[in-house]
Amino acid sequence: MFCALGSAICYGTASVLQAMAAKTAAPGSGSGVDAALLLRALRNWRYLLGLALDGCGFLLQIVALRSLPIYAVGAALAASLAVTALVASRLLRTELSRVEWGAVATVCAGLALLGLASGAEGDRTGSAALRWSLLGVAVAVLLVGALAGQLPTRPRALVLGLGAGAGFGVVEVAVRLIDSLAVPQVLANPALYALLLGGAAAFLLLTSAFQRGSVTVATAGMVLGETVGPAVVGVVWLGDHTRTGLAWLAVLGFTIAVAGALTLARFGEP
């Protein structure tokens, strides 16, 4: 859980830096996903620092996913918005209202309940069908991004956010499905390609969402996309469970943490 929270700190800080960089990048000609936008953002030192923090966060996330159920790690990553709010209040001189301070406290309370209720990670390795399905979802995320440019501004932001969240969710599940790093086995595992494609697609969609439309709406969509779906996959197909008799407490903690994160969604945008 300490690794999951450390990952949230890295991701939350990186979000502010990357949002600032994406907003200053020159806009492209389209309204959907702009792959060149990512290249333009990479010229900004804030975006590069954000990527370095993302890398540290990802390593901590891997450690957490090998020890905790996906639902617990997903809720902790959603809590990165609480970190984003606190960092934005310092770097961007934004002020937190009483409701937003309450949301930060709510996120912390929800994570505390999850920590008490979470059991060990599930012992199932996942079927071949699940691995190939995960790769299919990663491809679908890219297609969703391509189609998002045809939508009006508000639904476009929501679709980009949900797509980015789904991509990050693919990464969460894929980490659990890679059971061997030996070269012949790992290269034959569809989960490896799902992880790479899902992560890249999520970055593309999220960077575009930071620059186009309502980033508040996009961030809320991202939180839902990266928490709910992977949590269901972990419980149903990978055997994630809670401590005996504490399933209700885990559901309550998960709901509270995600609800608090959604309240803070506006801090995806500087």
Side-chain angles (χ1 to χ4, degrees):
M1 182 60 81
F2 280 115
C3 288
L5 293 177
S7 179
I9 291 173
C10 290
Y11 286 148
T13 305
S15 291
V16 177
L17 296 171
Q18 289 167 342
M20 294 170 67
K23 281 294 185 182
T24 59
S29 57
S31 58
V33 175
D34 181 7
L37 171 62
L38 183 58
L39 297 177
R40 293 193 296 273
L42 285 171
R43 300 171 187 170
N44 190 302
W45 66 269
R46 292 183 182 88
Y47 202 90
L48 293 175
L49 179 57
L51 283 181
L53 287 172
D54 280 331
C56 293
F58 181 62
L59 293 177
L60 293 171
Q61 178 184 349
I62 290 177
V63 175
L65 285 168
R66 306 302 275 184
S67 307
L68 287 175
I70 292 177
Y71 65 80
V73 178
L77 296 183
S80 65
L81 282 180
V83 178
T84 297
L86 296 175
V87 173
S89 69
R90 299 299 299 271
L91 292 184
L92 304 175
R93 305 264 196 272
T94 59
E95 293 186 5
L96 298 181
S97 66
R98 290 183 179 180
V99 172
E100 288 158 347
W101 277 116
V104 172
T106 297
V107 168
C108 295
L111 291 177
L113 295 178
L114 263 179
L116 291 173
S118 297
E121 65 168 338
D123 55 2
R124 301 178 198 167
T125 57
S127 64
L130 179 59
R131 298 166 195 265
W132 284 107
S133 297
L134 197 65
L135 181 57
V137 172
V139 173
V141 168
L142 275 179
L143 295 178
V144 165
L147 295 174
Q150 309 302 318
L151 298 174
T153 300
R154 188 172 181 84
R156 180 173 68 234
L158 180 60
V159 170
L160 285 173
L162 285 170
F168 290 131
V170 165
V171 172
E172 293 177 35
V173 178
V175 168
R176 286 280 297 276
L177 295 180
I178 298 176
D179 46 11
S180 173
L181 294 178
V183 173
Q185 290 86 352
V186 74
L187 292 180
N189 191 341
L192 172 65
Y193 305 102
L195 184 153
L196 297 174
L197 182 59
F203 264 112
L204 284 174
L205 268 64
L206 189 58
T207 304
S208 295
F210 276 154
Q211 192 184 61
R212 298 181 171 92
S214 170
V215 182
T216 299
V217 173
T219 305
M222 182 191 68
V223 170
L224 292 174
E226 73 177 347
T227 54
V228 179
V232 172
V233 172
V235 171
V236 176
W237 284 285
L238 298 179
D240 288 348
H241 57 274
T242 64
R243 297 180 189 272
T244 304
L246 293 181
W248 65 273
L249 189 62
V251 172
L252 179 63
F254 181 87
T255 303
I256 288 175
V258 173
L262 291 175
T263 304
L264 295 167
R266 77 177 183 90
F267 287 96
E269 181 171 22

